[in-house]
Amino acid sequence: MREPFILILSTSGGAGHHRAAEALLEATHRSPTPIRAAHHDCLDFTSKSFKRLYAESYLAMVNTIPEVWGYLYSQSEKKPYTKKGLLRIFDHFNYSRYLKTLRDMAPDIVLCTHFLPYISLAERDLPKEGIRAPFVAATTDFDVHQLWVNDCVQRYFVHDAETAWQLASKGIDQAIIGVTGIPVGSGFAGRVDKQTARQHLAMPKDRFTVMVLSGGFGVGHVQDITEGVVSLLGSFPSRAFNLIVICGRNEVLQKDLEKRTFPGNIHKSIMGYVSNVHELMDAADILVSKSGGLTSAEAMAKGLPMIIVDPIPGQETRNADMIVERGAGVLAHDYHNLVFKLRETINDPKRLEMMRERTSALAHPRAAETILNDILHRYLRPSSPHN
């Protein structure tokens, strides 16, 4: 009997969808069940110009006119996704190579960490096109937008019971919704003692540690955020701190911060794009970040409370609502408010400990394995017609 083949598809436009897909791919490598698996960006099977336009237009919008993105997000939430007129014609031709690739790869399951891999094919007769593999969706935020909802999806995986309830309110049968958490990499499955983690990272061990995370593409006003954090930490002359700043792919920001003179009570670690976020989160006491779904899920897995600043209107503001409502973090309305919220957190260790407990209660560090096991049980058992 041949090994089942799971095709994992993500989409450019924010790093979180790719990270979730890589976590799922990693889970297949650890599975005791023999599995073939591959991860691709579905836009790799379209024209290079379209892939660049799709990714860059999203990043440009959330960086320069986030209010417009928030408006489009809320408007598209109001009714089911449909294709009309030129869009239907455009998708028919633009995704023809992608459709052929799916047919040639002949997967047993198509596991999506973004809605585009399946809504791009919406309204096609997929079995007639030679695509018989079930599509399943692993959502990557704490809220499920209407765009995720499509008749071709046979199973959804969501963060928690509230997310499942919201998805069901959009007409999805509760029987096909699995509450698993958002898939995160294996580095987030366990925790390391903070002092041990700091020692491993060559940081002073006995210092309150603040981590500022910009996101995989350097999205967000990290310069302003860091200036506020440095100013606050420097105002505690009798205390010493560690400050970790992850600049992502923003090399200009990284160089600017590396040149900056920091107060003597701050040990700084300025980094670009890193692959050991899990180790850095182990070392941190508080995370200052936007509320991207993957970043938030990773922080939860590490029991790391968040001070949320500058969330993107739409999916990130809804993530922020959930985090704050559950007591796993606080929301700073602007950079000045961030300084106040961080000062209150430093001055109130009991509150910080409560936030750690609430954060840990939301954690699903083995969501990727849970999703994979669900798929294997439901679709890829020996009796499955896809084998």
Side-chain angles (χ1 to χ4, degrees):
M1 182 179 65
R2 71 178 181 88
E3 295 178 353
F5 176 36
I6 300 177
L7 178 59
I8 304 168
L9 294 176
S10 61
T11 301
S12 303
H17 303 291
H18 284 318
R19 294 213 307 276
E22 286 298 307
L24 290 163
L25 181 64
E26 187 182 14
T28 67
H29 296 159
R30 296 192 305 271
S31 173
T33 302
I35 305 169
R36 272 197 313 132
H39 165 218
H40 293 281
D41 181 340
C42 78
L43 291 174
D44 286 340
F45 308 121
T46 64
S47 68
K48 291 182 180 179
S49 58
F50 178 71
K51 178 181 179 181
R52 185 171 60 252
L53 174 65
Y54 188 96
E56 291 180 359
S57 60
Y58 169 77
L59 292 172
M61 188 173 295
V62 299
N63 272 316
T64 59
I65 44 174
E67 297 82 4
V68 173
W69 172 258
Y71 172 79
L72 294 174
Y73 186 95
S74 61
Q75 288 299 112
S76 59
E77 174 77 334
K78 294 179 179 179
K79 56 184 178 180
Y81 174 78
T82 57
K83 296 184 184 182
K84 297 179 180 178
L86 291 175
L87 179 60
R88 180 177 293 182
I89 296 171
F90 175 81
D91 279 4
H92 178 80
F93 289 102
N94 189 59
Y95 293 104
S96 58
R97 184 161 68 93
Y98 166 48
L99 185 65
K100 182 180 183 301
T101 301
L102 285 180
R103 190 185 303 118
D104 293 344
M105 285 186 171
D108 295 286
I109 288 286
V110 182
L111 173 54
C112 306
T113 61
H114 192 280
F115 49 78
L116 188 65
Y118 54 86
I119 68 167
S120 61
L121 304 177
E123 301 179 18
R124 288 179 182 259
D125 187 338
L126 292 180
K128 192 174 181 179
E129 298 270 11
I131 309 298
R132 293 179 172 80
F135 280 73
V136 297
T139 62
T140 52
D141 287 293
F142 307 127
D143 175 73
V144 181
H145 189 274
Q146 183 68 44
L147 285 172
W148 285 90
V149 176
N150 193 272
D151 290 341
C152 75
V153 179
Q154 293 194 16
R155 188 151 179 79
Y156 292 88
F157 300 103
V158 300
H159 178 259
D160 66 4
E162 183 174 353
T163 321
W165 181 276
Q166 182 169 355
L167 185 56
S169 74
K170 300 178 187 297
I172 299 301
D173 185 352
Q174 290 185 347
I176 68 167
I177 304 173
V179 176
T180 59
I182 295 170
V184 295
S186 62
F188 298 91
R191 299 178 188 175
V192 177
D193 172 79
K194 293 191 182 302
Q195 291 194 350
T196 302
R198 291 168 193 160
Q199 184 175 25
H200 175 70
L201 295 166
M203 297 176 189
K205 295 191 295 183
D206 298 316
R207 294 190 179 195
F208 189 96
T209 301
V210 180
M211 180 175 176
V212 178
L213 182 62
S214 70
F217 290 90
V219 177
H221 305 291
V222 187
Q223 184 91 47
D224 296 328
I225 293 170
T226 305
E227 290 292 335
V229 171
V230 169
S231 177
L232 174 68
L233 299 183
S235 71
F236 289 86
S238 62
R239 294 190 62 174
F241 299 92
N242 292 320
L243 176 61
I244 305 167
V245 183
I246 310 300
C247 302
R249 295 189 173 95
N250 192 330
E251 295 179 2
V252 173
L253 171 64
Q254 183 181 356
K255 290 177 182 178
D256 286 347
L257 291 178
E258 286 172 342
K259 292 176 184 176
R260 190 191 189 286
T261 300
F262 283 65
N265 67 331
I266 299 176
H267 177 276
K268 67 175 182 179
S269 299
I270 310 299
M271 305 177 186
Y273 188 85
V274 299
S275 59
N276 66 331
V277 169
H278 57 287
E279 295 178 335
L280 297 168
M281 284 188 173
D282 276 325
D285 289 293
I286 193 75
L287 173 65
V288 178
S289 175
K290 301 186 315 77
S291 47
L294 260 292
T295 295
S296 303
E298 290 165 351
M300 290 170 183
K302 290 297 185 180
L304 180 62
M306 298 177 67
I307 299 179
I308 301 164
V309 62
D310 208 24
I312 297 170
Q315 71 271 30
E316 289 194 359
T317 53
R318 295 188 183 189
N319 291 342
D321 288 343
M322 190 278 284
I323 292 167
V324 172
E325 181 182 283
R326 307 286 181 86
V330 295
L331 176 63
H333 300 296
D334 54 33
Y335 309 127
H336 301 291
N337 190 227
L338 162 65
V339 172
F340 176 82
K341 294 290 177 67
L342 180 57
R343 187 189 69 181
E344 293 296 294
T345 301
I346 293 170
N347 285 332
D348 193 348
K350 289 184 178 179
R351 185 184 182 196
L352 179 61
E353 184 57 35
M354 181 190 71
M355 290 168 63
R356 286 195 187 108
E357 293 173 359
R358 299 285 178 85
T359 303
S360 295
L362 294 172
H364 293 278
R366 299 191 180 277
E369 287 83 356
T370 304
I371 291 169
L372 178 61
N373 290 335
D374 185 292
I375 289 171
L376 291 173
H377 175 74
R378 290 176 184 274
Y379 300 105
L380 301 178
R381 289 176 294 180
S383 59
S384 169
H386 301 287
N387 285 332

